[in-house]
Amino acid sequence: MGNLNAEFLLSKLAGAKEHFERALDCKHTEFDDLYPYMIEHPQFFWYKRYVAWSELLTIVKLSEELGVDWRKQFSQKQADYVTGRVMSSRVLDEWYETNDSKEHVG
């Protein structure tokens, strides 16, 4: 695969990771703009996180199929969660390594 295509895919991966982390942190994402009426729904943040997680998994799957190393964009624990594919409460609670090293999206 050419460097340009790999760079493109890695930039999309970085965007998907940021989108998921913004959803985790309850920050604004494009999902809010697409479904503004859902903000009042009690399950809104769950849906928002699910959409972001699905996007992340899709780009990881494409990366794997195209032979692009996606793991270096994540901590080992995060890569393990992504490989496991299931968004559990543990993933939501432990995505960031520790409270001291949280790198929340600004």
Side-chain angles (χ1 to χ4, degrees):
M1 171 175 239
N3 278 347
L4 188 59
N5 289 334
E7 287 176 23
F8 173 78
L9 205 50
L10 290 173
S11 74
K12 292 297 181 188
L13 181 63
K17 183 181 181 211
E18 179 182 352
H19 183 201
F20 178 65
E21 290 177 350
R22 288 187 70 81
L24 270 184
D25 295 340
C26 300
K27 294 190 175 177
H28 187 88
T29 69
E30 65 182 31
F31 188 77
D32 298 81
D33 298 331
L34 292 172
Y35 303 102
Y37 64 89
M38 285 187 64
I39 291 172
E40 296 175 20
H41 193 287
Q43 294 295 318
F44 174 73
F45 289 108
W46 187 89
Y47 287 119
K48 184 173 169 170
R49 290 169 181 156
Y50 174 78
V51 166
W53 182 247
S54 296
E55 176 187 12
L56 183 60
L57 293 181
T58 298
I59 295 176
V60 163
K61 183 177 179 184
L62 287 172
S63 298
E64 288 178 343
E65 290 175 1
L66 296 170
V68 174
D69 180 15
W70 59 270
R71 289 180 170 269
K72 59 187 171 190
Q73 303 268 341
F74 299 85
S75 71
Q76 181 60 52
K77 184 185 260 187
Q78 290 171 342
D80 291 345
Y81 291 147
V82 171
T83 301
R85 300 188 58 81
V86 177
M87 186 181 68
S88 64
S89 60
R90 186 171 188 189
V91 172
L92 296 176
D93 292 342
E94 299 179 13
W95 180 257
Y96 299 107
E97 293 294 322
T98 67
N99 287 339
D100 297 331
S101 68
K102 280 188 180 181
E103 294 179 20
H104 288 269
V105 178

